[in-house]
Amino acid sequence: KLNVGVDTIQHGVEGLVYLLTESSKLMISEVDFQDSIHVLGFSDELNKSLLQLYLDNRKEIRSILGELAPRLPSYHSLEWRLDVQLASRSLRQQIKPTVTMKLHLNQSEDQSAQVLQTDPATLLHLIQQLEQALGEMKMNHCRRIVRNMK
């Protein structure tokens, strides 16, 4: 009926879905949405229809996206043990420390445990990297990104 190829219609629908999901994900305002679609060069009537479609469906789209998001496990508790090997048959005097951790996780009412083992130097490096990541989360740029993700 439209005298348009199937690929053109498919790309149009995919573009519309992308526009609505990304706009809903970021919860952009009416003005920002209008600015985004104004660049596309559509008529004013079509822009108003797209804006109304976005305003009517953004909460429902966000709830569907929330349901589709993967459920990641959350921290429950941590048990740890420090083992030190002082000697072996071949080496009478050696010090080989090992940190063993048992990480208990919750995932939607199910509990699981992961056993991790490392040496203290690697553990210290991991702690430094995590502290650096937490420090970066306090920067204004990261705060803006996190605020827009909610």
Side-chain angles (χ1 to χ4, degrees):
K1 287 183 177 181
L2 298 175
N3 293 329
V4 178
V6 175
D7 291 338
T8 305
I9 293 174
Q10 180 179 355
H11 292 312
V13 170
E14 288 173 353
L16 183 60
V17 167
Y18 181 78
L19 173 69
L20 292 175
T21 55
E22 290 300 313
S23 299
S24 299
K25 198 184 302 183
L26 298 173
M27 284 298 286
I28 63 174
S29 66
E30 292 181 37
V31 175
D32 291 337
F33 186 82
Q34 286 176 334
D35 289 343
S36 299
I37 60 175
H38 181 70
V39 175
L40 299 174
F42 295 137
S43 66
D44 289 338
E45 184 180 322
L46 184 58
N47 287 344
K48 287 178 185 176
S49 297
L50 286 173
L51 176 63
Q52 193 59 43
L53 181 68
Y54 167 67
L55 293 175
D56 292 343
N57 295 309
R58 68 178 166 187
K59 290 182 181 177
E60 185 178 354
I61 293 170
R62 278 185 69 81
S63 68
I64 291 170
L65 289 174
E67 291 171 7
L68 294 176
R71 303 284 180 225
L72 299 174
S74 62
Y75 171 81
H76 177 67
S77 64
L78 176 73
E79 299 175 40
W80 62 275
R81 181 179 74 216
L82 177 65
D83 294 325
V84 180
Q85 182 177 356
L86 298 174
S88 66
R89 289 182 186 174
S90 59
L91 292 171
R92 296 284 181 205
Q93 291 187 356
Q94 71 175 9
I95 297 176
K96 186 179 175 185
T98 318
V99 178
T100 305
M101 298 170 280
K102 188 173 187 180
L103 182 63
H104 297 275
L105 304 170
N106 290 335
Q107 186 166 14
S108 63
E109 299 182 19
D110 294 334
Q111 286 194 351
S112 62
Q114 299 289 327
V115 178
L116 309 166
Q117 191 172 32
T118 185
D119 61 302
T122 305
L123 184 60
L124 285 174
H125 178 68
L126 180 63
I127 290 169
Q128 289 171 351
Q129 292 297 312
L130 290 173
E131 287 175 346
Q132 182 182 356
L134 283 174
E136 289 178 5
M137 283 300 296
K138 294 178 183 177
M139 296 174 61
N140 288 335
H141 179 69
C142 288
R143 285 183 180 171
R144 277 191 300 248
I145 292 171
V146 169
R147 191 171 41 242
N148 285 331
M149 287 174 50
K150 292 180 181 179

